[in-house]
Amino acid sequence: MTPPRQPALSVLTVPAFKDNYLWLVHDGTHAAVVDPGDAAPVRAALAAHDLRLTAILLTHHHADHIGGVPALLAEWDVPVFGPQNDGIDLVTHPLVQGDRITVPGIDLALDVLDVPGHTLGHIAYVRRDPDARWLFCGDTLFGAGCGRLFEGTPAQMAASLAQLAALPDETLVYCAHEYTMSNLAFAQAVDGANTALAARVEADGASRAAGQPTIPSTIALEKATNPFLRTTSAPIVRSLVAAGRVAEGAAPLEVFTALREWKNTF
């Protein structure tokens, strides 16, 4: 007998604060939430779609990613998955690189990656289903950008981004902020002749003008347009040399460091 087919999973975009995205992964009945910085929009989305919360997934300790957890736990007795080494007391299931979880209540298997840089203990979750590859990366990789280095080093962040860039091209990138257009402006400043970048500016600009998110993107799109994943690109290196930020022949880590420092004040 053929086993019953599991319900298909969907990802709901839940905007919060000024530019955060909280993600609700659901099967039409049960749901897990990623990085619930605010409980109110999560609660509203659950009610609007008649969903029951069965798990909370956290990527790092910043308040806009964990602030809603206590209020959600007051209403739903669910496990809290999160980084082992990022100082989040509410985590009941601590995770590190190489762990694999099955999210309670929904047919979702996720692999865990350590991606330090933005914070020292930051993790990401990867769904490797060939029919639906997903990445929940918090504040490590953004649309056309990457997170600030609040705790980690440039070398750590560069290694984390390289690990994410090695995922299959079709992987959907569910990051936690709508920073894409400002990141694209910086990308154009350092990689202005990139035709893939020009096309993305047009497409994502149209999405924002229509009130739609630019996220998720894909790993393929990020590799083609995100300067922080293109540290060996000759045009980007030339832009940094022209700006006096690196010398000719700079190594990729020097290029990454210079890009991140430039973006901090762009």
Side-chain angles (χ1 to χ4, degrees), residues 172-197:
L172 295 177
V173 178
Y174 291 97
C175 63
H177 289 276
E178 183 56 77
Y179 290 162
T180 308
M181 296 313 297
S182 62
N183 287 340
L184 286 172
F186 175 70
Q188 286 185 296
V190 299
D191 197 17
N194 184 336
T195 56
L197 177 59

mmCIF file with all atom_site columns, all heavy atoms in Angstrom, residues 172-197:
data_model
loop_
_atom_site.group_PDB
_atom_site.id
_atom_site.type_symbol
_atom_site.label_atom_id
_atom_site.label_alt_id
_atom_site.label_comp_id
_atom_site.label_asym_id
_atom_site.label_entity_id
_atom_site.label_seq_id
_atom_site.pdbx_PDB_ins_code
_atom_site.Cartn_x
_atom_site.Cartn_y
_atom_site.Cartn_z
_atom_site.occupancy
_atom_site.B_iso_or_equiv
_atom_site.pdbx_formal_charge
_atom_site.auth_seq_id
_atom_site.auth_comp_id
_atom_site.auth_asym_id
_atom_site.auth_atom_id
_atom_site.pdbx_PDB_model_num
ATOM 1   N N   . LEU A 1 172 ? 16.098 28.621 -2.086  1.00 0.00 ? 172 LEU A N   1
ATOM 2   C CA  . LEU A 1 172 ? 15.454 29.901 -1.788  1.00 0.00 ? 172 LEU A CA  1
ATOM 3   C C   . LEU A 1 172 ? 16.036 30.480 -0.507  1.00 0.00 ? 172 LEU A C   1
ATOM 4   O O   . LEU A 1 172 ? 16.166 29.785 0.507   1.00 0.00 ? 172 LEU A O   1
ATOM 5   C CB  . LEU A 1 172 ? 13.943 29.715 -1.632  1.00 0.00 ? 172 LEU A CB  1
ATOM 6   C CG  . LEU A 1 172 ? 13.193 29.273 -2.886  1.00 0.00 ? 172 LEU A CG  1
ATOM 7   C CD1 . LEU A 1 172 ? 11.716 29.062 -2.571  1.00 0.00 ? 172 LEU A CD1 1
ATOM 8   C CD2 . LEU A 1 172 ? 13.341 30.302 -3.998  1.00 0.00 ? 172 LEU A CD2 1
ATOM 9   N N   . VAL A 1 173 ? 16.374 31.755 -0.552  1.00 0.00 ? 173 VAL A N   1
ATOM 10  C CA  . VAL A 1 173 ? 17.044 32.429 0.561   1.00 0.00 ? 173 VAL A CA  1
ATOM 11  C C   . VAL A 1 173 ? 16.020 33.243 1.342   1.00 0.00 ? 173 VAL A C   1
ATOM 12  O O   . VAL A 1 173 ? 15.571 34.299 0.882   1.00 0.00 ? 173 VAL A O   1
ATOM 13  C CB  . VAL A 1 173 ? 18.178 33.332 0.045   1.00 0.00 ? 173 VAL A CB  1
ATOM 14  C CG1 . VAL A 1 173 ? 18.841 34.067 1.209   1.00 0.00 ? 173 VAL A CG1 1
ATOM 15  C CG2 . VAL A 1 173 ? 19.205 32.512 -0.728  1.00 0.00 ? 173 VAL A CG2 1
ATOM 16  N N   . TYR A 1 174 ? 15.659 32.733 2.524   1.00 0.00 ? 174 TYR A N   1
ATOM 17  C CA  . TYR A 1 174 ? 14.717 33.427 3.402   1.00 0.00 ? 174 TYR A CA  1
ATOM 18  C C   . TYR A 1 174 ? 15.521 34.135 4.488   1.00 0.00 ? 174 TYR A C   1
ATOM 19  O O   . TYR A 1 174 ? 15.756 33.597 5.567   1.00 0.00 ? 174 TYR A O   1
ATOM 20  C CB  . TYR A 1 174 ? 13.727 32.442 4.023   1.00 0.00 ? 174 TYR A CB  1
ATOM 21  C CG  . TYR A 1 174 ? 12.739 31.852 3.048   1.00 0.00 ? 174 TYR A CG  1
ATOM 22  C CD1 . TYR A 1 174 ? 12.957 30.606 2.468   1.00 0.00 ? 174 TYR A CD1 1
ATOM 23  C CD2 . TYR A 1 174 ? 11.571 32.537 2.721   1.00 0.00 ? 174 TYR A CD2 1
ATOM 24  C CE1 . TYR A 1 174 ? 12.043 30.056 1.574   1.00 0.00 ? 174 TYR A CE1 1
ATOM 25  C CE2 . TYR A 1 174 ? 10.650 31.995 1.830   1.00 0.00 ? 174 TYR A CE2 1
ATOM 26  C CZ  . TYR A 1 174 ? 10.898 30.758 1.267   1.00 0.00 ? 174 TYR A CZ  1
ATOM 27  O OH  . TYR A 1 174 ? 9.979  30.213 0.386   1.00 0.00 ? 174 TYR A OH  1
ATOM 28  N N   . CYS A 1 175 ? 15.946 35.352 4.199   1.00 0.00 ? 175 CYS A N   1
ATOM 29  C CA  . CYS A 1 175 ? 16.654 36.136 5.200   1.00 0.00 ? 175 CYS A CA  1
ATOM 30  C C   . CYS A 1 175 ? 15.647 36.934 6.018   1.00 0.00 ? 175 CYS A C   1
ATOM 31  O O   . CYS A 1 175 ? 14.441 36.882 5.768   1.00 0.00 ? 175 CYS A O   1
ATOM 32  C CB  . CYS A 1 175 ? 17.695 37.031 4.542   1.00 0.00 ? 175 CYS A CB  1
ATOM 33  S SG  . CYS A 1 175 ? 17.006 38.277 3.428   1.00 0.00 ? 175 CYS A SG  1
ATOM 34  N N   . ALA A 1 176 ? 16.147 37.700 6.981   1.00 0.00 ? 176 ALA A N   1
ATOM 35  C CA  . ALA A 1 176 ? 15.246 38.260 7.986   1.00 0.00 ? 176 ALA A CA  1
ATOM 36  C C   . ALA A 1 176 ? 14.961 39.754 7.843   1.00 0.00 ? 176 ALA A C   1
ATOM 37  O O   . ALA A 1 176 ? 14.268 40.315 8.688   1.00 0.00 ? 176 ALA A O   1
ATOM 38  C CB  . ALA A 1 176 ? 15.802 37.981 9.381   1.00 0.00 ? 176 ALA A CB  1
ATOM 39  N N   . HIS A 1 177 ? 15.467 40.391 6.785   1.00 0.00 ? 177 HIS A N   1
ATOM 40  C CA  . HIS A 1 177 ? 15.230 41.828 6.635   1.00 0.00 ? 177 HIS A CA  1
ATOM 41  C C   . HIS A 1 177 ? 15.039 42.192 5.166   1.00 0.00 ? 177 HIS A C   1
ATOM 42  O O   . HIS A 1 177 ? 15.618 41.563 4.275   1.00 0.00 ? 177 HIS A O   1
ATOM 43  C CB  . HIS A 1 177 ? 16.398 42.649 7.181   1.00 0.00 ? 177 HIS A CB  1
ATOM 44  C CG  . HIS A 1 177 ? 16.522 42.628 8.665   1.00 0.00 ? 177 HIS A CG  1
ATOM 45  N ND1 . HIS A 1 177 ? 15.813 43.472 9.480   1.00 0.00 ? 177 HIS A ND1 1
ATOM 46  C CD2 . HIS A 1 177 ? 17.266 41.838 9.478   1.00 0.00 ? 177 HIS A CD2 1
ATOM 47  C CE1 . HIS A 1 177 ? 16.120 43.222 10.743  1.00 0.00 ? 177 HIS A CE1 1
ATOM 48  N NE2 . HIS A 1 177 ? 17.003 42.236 10.763  1.00 0.00 ? 177 HIS A NE2 1
ATOM 49  N N   . GLU A 1 178 ? 14.252 43.231 4.952   1.00 0.00 ? 178 GLU A N   1
ATOM 50  C CA  . GLU A 1 178 ? 14.048 43.812 3.627   1.00 0.00 ? 178 GLU A CA  1
ATOM 51  C C   . GLU A 1 178 ? 15.056 44.943 3.446   1.00 0.00 ? 178 GLU A C   1
ATOM 52  O O   . GLU A 1 178 ? 14.740 46.124 3.600   1.00 0.00 ? 178 GLU A O   1
ATOM 53  C CB  . GLU A 1 178 ? 12.612 44.317 3.479   1.00 0.00 ? 178 GLU A CB  1
ATOM 54  C CG  . GLU A 1 178 ? 12.267 44.885 2.115   1.00 0.00 ? 178 GLU A CG  1
ATOM 55  C CD  . GLU A 1 178 ? 12.515 43.915 0.974   1.00 0.00 ? 178 GLU A CD  1
ATOM 56  O OE1 . GLU A 1 178 ? 11.702 42.992 0.773   1.00 0.00 ? 178 GLU A OE1 1
ATOM 57  O OE2 . GLU A 1 178 ? 13.554 44.082 0.297   1.00 0.00 ? 178 GLU A OE2 1
ATOM 58  N N   . TYR A 1 179 ? 16.293 44.551 3.169   1.00 0.00 ? 179 TYR A N   1
ATOM 59  C CA  . TYR A 1 179 ? 17.379 45.508 2.950   1.00 0.00 ? 179 TYR A CA  1
ATOM 60  C C   . TYR A 1 179 ? 17.805 45.533 1.483   1.00 0.00 ? 179 TYR A C   1
ATOM 61  O O   . TYR A 1 179 ? 18.807 46.176 1.132   1.00 0.00 ? 179 TYR A O   1
ATOM 62  C CB  . TYR A 1 179 ? 18.610 45.105 3.778   1.00 0.00 ? 179 TYR A CB  1
ATOM 63  C CG  . TYR A 1 179 ? 18.504 45.249 5.276   1.00 0.00 ? 179 TYR A CG  1
ATOM 64  C CD1 . TYR A 1 179 ? 19.396 44.573 6.107   1.00 0.00 ? 179 TYR A CD1 1
ATOM 65  C CD2 . TYR A 1 179 ? 17.546 46.061 5.869   1.00 0.00 ? 179 TYR A CD2 1
ATOM 66  C CE1 . TYR A 1 179 ? 19.343 44.706 7.479   1.00 0.00 ? 179 TYR A CE1 1
ATOM 67  C CE2 . TYR A 1 179 ? 17.478 46.192 7.245   1.00 0.00 ? 179 TYR A CE2 1
ATOM 68  C CZ  . TYR A 1 179 ? 18.387 45.512 8.060   1.00 0.00 ? 179 TYR A CZ  1
ATOM 69  O OH  . TYR A 1 179 ? 18.328 45.634 9.418   1.00 0.00 ? 179 TYR A OH  1
ATOM 70  N N   . THR A 1 180 ? 17.102 44.850 0.619   1.00 0.00 ? 180 THR A N   1
ATOM 71  C CA  . THR A 1 180 ? 17.623 44.567 -0.710  1.00 0.00 ? 180 THR A CA  1
ATOM 72  C C   . THR A 1 180 ? 17.924 45.829 -1.523  1.00 0.00 ? 180 THR A C   1
ATOM 73  O O   . THR A 1 180 ? 18.990 45.925 -2.153  1.00 0.00 ? 180 THR A O   1
ATOM 74  C CB  . THR A 1 180 ? 16.659 43.666 -1.491  1.00 0.00 ? 180 THR A CB  1
ATOM 75  O OG1 . THR A 1 180 ? 16.350 42.512 -0.705  1.00 0.00 ? 180 THR A OG1 1
ATOM 76  C CG2 . THR A 1 180 ? 17.267 43.223 -2.807  1.00 0.00 ? 180 THR A CG2 1
ATOM 77  N N   . MET A 1 181 ? 17.030 46.797 -1.546  1.00 0.00 ? 181 MET A N   1
ATOM 78  C CA  . MET A 1 181 ? 17.251 47.946 -2.419  1.00 0.00 ? 181 MET A CA  1
ATOM 79  C C   . MET A 1 181 ? 18.449 48.781 -1.975  1.00 0.00 ? 181 MET A C   1
ATOM 80  O O   . MET A 1 181 ? 19.231 49.248 -2.815  1.00 0.00 ? 181 MET A O   1
ATOM 81  C CB  . MET A 1 181 ? 15.984 48.808 -2.498  1.00 0.00 ? 181 MET A CB  1
ATOM 82  C CG  . MET A 1 181 ? 14.783 48.099 -3.135  1.00 0.00 ? 181 MET A CG  1
ATOM 83  S SD  . MET A 1 181 ? 15.133 47.220 -4.690  1.00 0.00 ? 181 MET A SD  1
ATOM 84  C CE  . MET A 1 181 ? 15.631 48.571 -5.766  1.00 0.00 ? 181 MET A CE  1
ATOM 85  N N   . SER A 1 182 ? 18.627 48.969 -0.674  1.00 0.00 ? 182 SER A N   1
ATOM 86  C CA  . SER A 1 182 ? 19.814 49.705 -0.230  1.00 0.00 ? 182 SER A CA  1
ATOM 87  C C   . SER A 1 182 ? 21.074 48.899 -0.506  1.00 0.00 ? 182 SER A C   1
ATOM 88  O O   . SER A 1 182 ? 22.120 49.469 -0.871  1.00 0.00 ? 182 SER A O   1
ATOM 89  C CB  . SER A 1 182 ? 19.710 50.053 1.262   1.00 0.00 ? 182 SER A CB  1
ATOM 90  O OG  . SER A 1 182 ? 19.646 48.889 2.057   1.00 0.00 ? 182 SER A OG  1
ATOM 91  N N   . ASN A 1 183 ? 20.992 47.586 -0.366  1.00 0.00 ? 183 ASN A N   1
ATOM 92  C CA  . ASN A 1 183 ? 22.149 46.752 -0.701  1.00 0.00 ? 183 ASN A CA  1
ATOM 93  C C   . ASN A 1 183 ? 22.462 46.806 -2.193  1.00 0.00 ? 183 ASN A C   1
ATOM 94  O O   . ASN A 1 183 ? 23.628 46.812 -2.599  1.00 0.00 ? 183 ASN A O   1
ATOM 95  C CB  . ASN A 1 183 ? 21.893 45.304 -0.292  1.00 0.00 ? 183 ASN A CB  1
ATOM 96  C CG  . ASN A 1 183 ? 21.945 45.099 1.210   1.00 0.00 ? 183 ASN A CG  1
ATOM 97  O OD1 . ASN A 1 183 ? 22.510 45.905 1.935   1.00 0.00 ? 183 ASN A OD1 1
ATOM 98  N ND2 . ASN A 1 183 ? 21.339 44.026 1.678   1.00 0.00 ? 183 ASN A ND2 1
ATOM 99  N N   . LEU A 1 184 ? 21.424 46.837 -3.025  1.00 0.00 ? 184 LEU A N   1
ATOM 100 C CA  . LEU A 1 184 ? 21.641 46.919 -4.469  1.00 0.00 ? 184 LEU A CA  1
ATOM 101 C C   . LEU A 1 184 ? 22.289 48.243 -4.863  1.00 0.00 ? 184 LEU A C   1
ATOM 102 O O   . LEU A 1 184 ? 23.098 48.291 -5.804  1.00 0.00 ? 184 LEU A O   1
ATOM 103 C CB  . LEU A 1 184 ? 20.310 46.732 -5.208  1.00 0.00 ? 184 LEU A CB  1
ATOM 104 C CG  . LEU A 1 184 ? 19.763 45.306 -5.239  1.00 0.00 ? 184 LEU A CG  1
ATOM 105 C CD1 . LEU A 1 184 ? 18.357 45.300 -5.821  1.00 0.00 ? 184 LEU A CD1 1
ATOM 106 C CD2 . LEU A 1 184 ? 20.689 44.378 -6.029  1.00 0.00 ? 184 LEU A CD2 1
ATOM 107 N N   . ALA A 1 185 ? 21.953 49.308 -4.163  1.00 0.00 ? 185 ALA A N   1
ATOM 108 C CA  . ALA A 1 185 ? 22.588 50.598 -4.459  1.00 0.00 ? 185 ALA A CA  1
ATOM 109 C C   . ALA A 1 185 ? 24.090 50.516 -4.225  1.00 0.00 ? 185 ALA A C   1
ATOM 110 O O   . ALA A 1 185 ? 24.890 51.031 -5.017  1.00 0.00 ? 185 ALA A O   1
ATOM 111 C CB  . ALA A 1 185 ? 21.966 51.699 -3.608  1.00 0.00 ? 185 ALA A CB  1
ATOM 112 N N   . PHE A 1 186 ? 24.476 49.863 -3.139  1.00 0.00 ? 186 PHE A N   1
ATOM 113 C CA  . PHE A 1 186 ? 25.908 49.681 -2.881  1.00 0.00 ? 186 PHE A CA  1
ATOM 114 C C   . PHE A 1 186 ? 26.528 48.762 -3.928  1.00 0.00 ? 186 PHE A C   1
ATOM 115 O O   . PHE A 1 186 ? 27.632 49.036 -4.433  1.00 0.00 ? 186 PHE A O   1
ATOM 116 C CB  . PHE A 1 186 ? 26.116 49.098 -1.478  1.00 0.00 ? 186 PHE A CB  1
ATOM 117 C CG  . PHE A 1 186 ? 27.554 48.773 -1.177  1.00 0.00 ? 186 PHE A CG  1
ATOM 118 C CD1 . PHE A 1 186 ? 28.478 49.785 -1.003  1.00 0.00 ? 186 PHE A CD1 1
ATOM 119 C CD2 . PHE A 1 186 ? 27.974 47.451 -1.075  1.00 0.00 ? 186 PHE A CD2 1
ATOM 120 C CE1 . PHE A 1 186 ? 29.819 49.491 -0.729  1.00 0.00 ? 186 PHE A CE1 1
ATOM 121 C CE2 . PHE A 1 186 ? 29.302 47.148 -0.800  1.00 0.00 ? 186 PHE A CE2 1
ATOM 122 C CZ  . PHE A 1 186 ? 30.225 48.164 -0.636  1.00 0.00 ? 186 PHE A CZ  1
ATOM 123 N N   . ALA A 1 187 ? 25.825 47.681 -4.258  1.00 0.00 ? 187 ALA A N   1
ATOM 124 C CA  . ALA A 1 187 ? 26.345 46.752 -5.267  1.00 0.00 ? 187 ALA A CA  1
ATOM 125 C C   . ALA A 1 187 ? 26.598 47.470 -6.584  1.00 0.00 ? 187 ALA A C   1
ATOM 126 O O   . ALA A 1 187 ? 27.615 47.220 -7.255  1.00 0.00 ? 187 ALA A O   1
ATOM 127 C CB  . ALA A 1 187 ? 25.369 45.596 -5.459  1.00 0.00 ? 187 ALA A CB  1
ATOM 128 N N   . GLN A 1 188 ? 25.694 48.361 -6.977  1.00 0.00 ? 188 GLN A N   1
ATOM 129 C CA  . GLN A 1 188 ? 25.898 49.105 -8.223  1.00 0.00 ? 188 GLN A CA  1
ATOM 130 C C   . GLN A 1 188 ? 27.125 50.006 -8.144  1.00 0.00 ? 188 GLN A C   1
ATOM 131 O O   . GLN A 1 188 ? 27.813 50.207 -9.145  1.00 0.00 ? 188 GLN A O   1
ATOM 132 C CB  . GLN A 1 188 ? 24.663 49.942 -8.541  1.00 0.00 ? 188 GLN A CB  1
ATOM 133 C CG  . GLN A 1 188 ? 23.483 49.123 -9.044  1.00 0.00 ? 188 GLN A CG  1
ATOM 134 C CD  . GLN A 1 188 ? 22.324 50.009 -9.452  1.00 0.00 ? 188 GLN A CD  1
ATOM 135 O OE1 . GLN A 1 188 ? 21.748 50.712 -8.625  1.00 0.00 ? 188 GLN A OE1 1
ATOM 136 N NE2 . GLN A 1 188 ? 21.986 49.978 -10.730 1.00 0.00 ? 188 GLN A NE2 1
ATOM 137 N N   . ALA A 1 189 ? 27.399 50.524 -6.959  1.00 0.00 ? 189 ALA A N   1
ATOM 138 C CA  . ALA A 1 189 ? 28.558 51.405 -6.802  1.00 0.00 ? 189 ALA A CA  1
ATOM 139 C C   . ALA A 1 189 ? 29.871 50.653 -6.988  1.00 0.00 ? 189 ALA A C   1
ATOM 140 O O   . ALA A 1 189 ? 30.862 51.236 -7.442  1.00 0.00 ? 189 ALA A O   1
ATOM 141 C CB  . ALA A 1 189 ? 28.528 52.065 -5.427  1.00 0.00 ? 189 ALA A CB  1
ATOM 142 N N   . VAL A 1 190 ? 29.895 49.364 -6.652  1.00 0.00 ? 190 VAL A N   1
ATOM 143 C CA  . VAL A 1 190 ? 31.143 48.611 -6.741  1.00 0.00 ? 190 VAL A CA  1
ATOM 144 C C   . VAL A 1 190 ? 31.181 47.638 -7.916  1.00 0.00 ? 190 VAL A C   1
ATOM 145 O O   . VAL A 1 190 ? 32.236 47.099 -8.250  1.00 0.00 ? 190 VAL A O   1
ATOM 146 C CB  . VAL A 1 190 ? 31.417 47.836 -5.429  1.00 0.00 ? 190 VAL A CB  1
ATOM 147 C CG1 . VAL A 1 190 ? 31.546 48.803 -4.265  1.00 0.00 ? 190 VAL A CG1 1
ATOM 148 C CG2 . VAL A 1 190 ? 30.359 46.782 -5.144  1.00 0.00 ? 190 VAL A CG2 1
ATOM 149 N N   . ASP A 1 191 ? 30.023 47.428 -8.570  1.00 0.00 ? 191 ASP A N   1
ATOM 150 C CA  . ASP A 1 191 ? 29.937 46.412 -9.634  1.00 0.00 ? 191 ASP A CA  1
ATOM 151 C C   . ASP A 1 191 ? 28.985 46.891 -10.722 1.00 0.00 ? 191 ASP A C   1
ATOM 152 O O   . ASP A 1 191 ? 28.130 46.157 -11.209 1.00 0.00 ? 191 ASP A O   1
ATOM 153 C CB  . ASP A 1 191 ? 29.448 45.095 -9.010  1.00 0.00 ? 191 ASP A CB  1
ATOM 154 C CG  . ASP A 1 191 ? 29.698 43.875 -9.876  1.00 0.00 ? 191 ASP A CG  1
ATOM 155 O OD1 . ASP A 1 191 ? 30.526 43.955 -10.809 1.00 0.00 ? 191 ASP A OD1 1
ATOM 156 O OD2 . ASP A 1 191 ? 29.070 42.825 -9.609  1.00 0.00 ? 191 ASP A OD2 1
ATOM 157 N N   . GLY A 1 192 ? 29.146 48.158 -11.107 1.00 0.00 ? 192 GLY A N   1
ATOM 158 C CA  . GLY A 1 192 ? 28.161 48.825 -11.939 1.00 0.00 ? 192 GLY A CA  1
ATOM 159 C C   . GLY A 1 192 ? 27.968 48.255 -13.333 1.00 0.00 ? 192 GLY A C   1
ATOM 160 O O   . GLY A 1 192 ? 26.910 48.448 -13.939 1.00 0.00 ? 192 GLY A O   1
ATOM 161 N N   . ALA A 1 193 ? 28.947 47.532 -13.878 1.00 0.00 ? 193 ALA A N   1
ATOM 162 C CA  . ALA A 1 193 ? 28.812 46.985 -15.229 1.00 0.00 ? 193 ALA A CA  1
ATOM 163 C C   . ALA A 1 193 ? 28.158 45.605 -15.256 1.00 0.00 ? 193 ALA A C   1
ATOM 164 O O   . ALA A 1 193 ? 27.993 45.024 -16.334 1.00 0.00 ? 193 ALA A O   1
ATOM 165 C CB  . ALA A 1 193 ? 30.189 46.911 -15.892 1.00 0.00 ? 193 ALA A CB  1
ATOM 166 N N   . ASN A 1 194 ? 27.763 45.105 -14.103 1.00 0.00 ? 194 ASN A N   1
ATOM 167 C CA  . ASN A 1 194 ? 27.192 43.758 -13.987 1.00 0.00 ? 194 ASN A CA  1
ATOM 168 C C   . ASN A 1 194 ? 25.764 43.765 -14.542 1.00 0.00 ? 194 ASN A C   1
ATOM 169 O O   . ASN A 1 194 ? 24.857 44.369 -13.952 1.00 0.00 ? 194 ASN A O   1
ATOM 170 C CB  . ASN A 1 194 ? 27.206 43.350 -12.509 1.00 0.00 ? 194 ASN A CB  1
ATOM 171 C CG  . ASN A 1 194 ? 26.719 41.942 -12.267 1.00 0.00 ? 194 ASN A CG  1
ATOM 172 O OD1 . ASN A 1 194 ? 25.971 41.370 -13.058 1.00 0.00 ? 194 ASN A OD1 1
ATOM 173 N ND2 . ASN A 1 194 ? 27.118 41.381 -11.134 1.00 0.00 ? 194 ASN A ND2 1
ATOM 174 N N   . THR A 1 195 ? 25.541 43.099 -15.665 1.00 0.00 ? 195 THR A N   1
ATOM 175 C CA  . THR A 1 195 ? 24.213 43.119 -16.290 1.00 0.00 ? 195 THR A CA  1
ATOM 176 C C   . THR A 1 195 ? 23.182 42.353 -15.472 1.00 0.00 ? 195 THR A C   1
ATOM 177 O O   . THR A 1 195 ? 22.000 42.725 -15.455 1.00 0.00 ? 195 THR A O   1
ATOM 178 C CB  . THR A 1 195 ? 24.276 42.536 -17.710 1.00 0.00 ? 195 THR A CB  1
ATOM 179 O OG1 . THR A 1 195 ? 24.823 41.217 -17.667 1.00 0.00 ? 195 THR A OG1 1
ATOM 180 C CG2 . THR A 1 195 ? 25.145 43.413 -18.603 1.00 0.00 ? 195 THR A CG2 1
ATOM 181 N N   . ALA A 1 196 ? 23.596 41.281 -14.782 1.00 0.00 ? 196 ALA A N   1
ATOM 182 C CA  . ALA A 1 196 ? 22.669 40.556 -13.910 1.00 0.00 ? 196 ALA A CA  1
ATOM 183 C C   . ALA A 1 196 ? 22.215 41.451 -12.769 1.00 0.00 ? 196 ALA A C   1
ATOM 184 O O   . ALA A 1 196 ? 21.045 41.414 -12.352 1.00 0.00 ? 196 ALA A O   1
ATOM 185 C CB  . ALA A 1 196 ? 23.327 39.285 -13.372 1.00 0.00 ? 196 ALA A CB  1
ATOM 186 N N   . LEU A 1 197 ? 23.129 42.271 -12.280 1.00 0.00 ? 197 LEU A N   1
ATOM 187 C CA  . LEU A 1 197 ? 22.797 43.219 -11.218 1.00 0.00 ? 197 LEU A CA  1
ATOM 188 C C   . LEU A 1 197 ? 21.796 44.255 -11.713 1.00 0.00 ? 197 LEU A C   1
ATOM 189 O O   . LEU A 1 197 ? 20.817 44.574 -11.018 1.00 0.00 ? 197 LEU A O   1
ATOM 190 C CB  . LEU A 1 197 ? 24.069 43.884 -10.713 1.00 0.00 ? 197 LEU A CB  1
ATOM 191 C CG  . LEU A 1 197 ? 23.918 44.964 -9.650  1.00 0.00 ? 197 LEU A CG  1
ATOM 192 C CD1 . LEU A 1 197 ? 23.245 44.418 -8.405  1.00 0.00 ? 197 LEU A CD1 1
ATOM 193 C CD2 . LEU A 1 197 ? 25.299 45.545 -9.307  1.00 0.00 ? 197 LEU A CD2 1
#
